[in-house]
Amino acid sequence: MDDEITVFTSFFFIKYNYVQESPMDERRPTLKQQTYALALCAFVFMTVYNFAAWYTSKAEKVPSFTFDFEKYIPFLPWSIIPYMTSVCFFCLVFFVCKNNEQLKVLTKRMLFTTIVAGVCFILFPLRFSLTKPATDNSILDYSFQFLKIFDSPFNQSPSLHIAYALIFWTVFRNLNRFRIFLMVWLIALGISTLTTYQHHFMDIIAGTVLAHLSFIVFPYRKNDFKYRNFQIANFYFLSGWILIIASVLLDKFYGHLGLILLWPAAMAIIIGYHYQKNNIHFLKDRNGKISLWKKYFMHPI
């Protein structure tokens, strides 16, 4: 029997036709559904991003937020290549989805991330502050000129490049071919946000937090027991990144003692990783005992 799934977002809705054969719809989405999801997310992105940039540009003064160590980050002109491929991944990821459920969750996460980031751009406007070296004699200068025209210097935190890259990976990690290549490329994309002098470190951490928040708000197969540990892992990941933010902020304003929070932050991320991998013996051995070194090492968590 044919039925419909309706995806409600803040201002839009999407309908997917499916055959109610099982609790989870395993049918591949049609090209029409994938194209519609891409068009919707692209429209929302362009509307929100450009409005936020225009609104912030009217402000008399837009502050910046940097850490002292950022002045040591090198400017790498060639890193503009992975940076620009974010657009390609944005267009591709919808057509890689293997089932309707995956496409529905991807669309909701993309819309949620774009809208929340847009609100942050307006309420907490920031701009990039480091001086970008000239690239006039480089063949890559055309790409930097493109960025100067179309990439706003104001929409900084959270970084949508980072948030989108993490969301893209939730789809690409299920591929059998090119999985490792795509993982490495997405990591290079994330690093390029710093080395092309487009974002500050705080933008990167904020983008990571936003992505994991979208994973929690819109979990994939939340009623499927096999994915239960993924949901628990995302809570640990989110906690870890929030602790990292707290640590670097305390270090900046109150001294190096705040860096002690990096310990529980690392523990939270490590535990999240093991939950994601369904590693049931990462803490206790097969006899149910916790080794002495793990008791001390994992003590903050």
Side-chain angles (χ1 to χ4, degrees), residues 44-57:
V44 172
F45 166 76
M46 289 186 291
T47 302
V48 170
Y49 188 89
N50 290 324
F51 175 78
W54 170 82
Y55 182 87
T56 306
S57 67

Side-chain angles (χ1 to χ4, degrees), residues 6-169:
T6 302
V7 182
F8 288 95
T9 65
S10 298
F11 302 102
F12 305 94
F13 65 92
I14 311 171
K15 290 184 178 180
Y16 295 94
N17 294 321
Y18 77 110
V19 177
Q20 193 172 3
E21 296 176 341
S22 63
M24 293 297 173
D25 188 359
E26 297 294 340
R27 292 183 61 193
R28 293 190 65 87
T30 65
L31 180 61
K32 181 179 179 181
Q33 291 172 326
Q34 293 168 319
T35 304
Y36 179 73
L38 167 60
L40 175 60
C41 290
F43 173 78
V44 172
F45 166 76
M46 289 186 291
T47 302
V48 170
Y49 188 89
N50 290 324
F51 175 78
W54 170 82
Y55 182 87
T56 306
S57 67
K58 300 298 181 181
E60 294 183 1
K61 184 178 180 180
V62 180
S64 297
F65 189 91
T66 63
F67 294 98
D68 293 337
F69 65 83
E70 293 188 59
K71 62 186 178 183
Y72 299 108
I73 297 176
F75 176 73
L76 304 176
W78 60 264
S79 62
I80 191 67
I81 297 174
Y83 183 86
M84 295 288 286
T85 56
S86 180
V87 178
C88 300
F89 284 124
F90 191 107
C91 298
L92 174 65
V93 68
F94 295 93
F95 300 96
V96 179
C97 293
K98 295 183 177 181
N99 55 65
N100 283 335
E101 172 74 8
Q102 192 175 48
L103 179 62
K104 179 180 71 172
V105 172
L106 170 66
T107 304
K108 294 163 85 171
R109 288 173 175 176
M110 293 288 285
L111 292 173
F112 172 82
T113 299
T114 302
I115 293 171
V116 172
V119 172
C120 292
F121 296 155
I122 293 173
L123 296 181
F124 312 104
L126 294 171
R127 69 178 302 158
F128 191 80
S129 61
L130 299 179
T131 302
K132 186 177 298 184
T135 56
D136 296 338
N137 298 323
S138 171
I139 192 173
L140 300 172
D141 182 57
Y142 295 105
S143 297
F144 283 101
Q145 292 299 324
F146 177 86
L147 282 183
K148 187 180 295 185
I149 297 173
F150 293 100
D151 201 359
S152 169
F154 303 113
N155 295 345
Q156 290 290 302
S157 187
S159 167
L160 280 175
H161 263 72
I162 296 297
Y164 286 162
L166 289 168
I167 295 174
F168 297 156
W169 177 242

Side-chain angles (χ1 to χ4, degrees), residues 67 157-159 162 166 200-212 240-246 248:
F67 294 98
S157 187
S159 167
I162 296 297
L166 289 168
H200 288 299
F201 182 74
M202 179 56 71
D203 311 336
I204 310 306
I205 303 299
T208 304
V209 168
L210 178 57
H212 283 91
W241 290 112
I242 290 175
L243 285 170
I244 290 176
I245 290 180
V248 294

Side-chain angles (χ1 to χ4, degrees), residues 232 235-241 243 260-272 275 282-283 290 294-301:
I232 297 174
F235 278 100
Y236 276 105
F237 286 142
L238 180 63
S239 300
W241 290 112
L243 285 170
I260 197 172
L261 289 179
L262 291 178
W263 183 8
M267 294 305 99
I269 292 174
I270 290 173
I271 292 173
Y275 265 106
F282 78 92
L283 185 60
I290 304 176
K294 286 185 178 181
K295 286 183 180 180
Y296 287 104
F297 196 58
M298 300 286 187
H299 181 71
I301 299 297

Side-chain angles (χ1 to χ4, degrees), residues 174-189:
N174 297 312
L175 297 178
N176 295 323
R177 300 178 62 185
F178 307 113
R179 182 175 182 271
I180 300 299
F181 170 78
L182 290 170
M183 179 183 67
V184 173
W185 193 271
L186 287 173
I187 292 173
L189 190 160

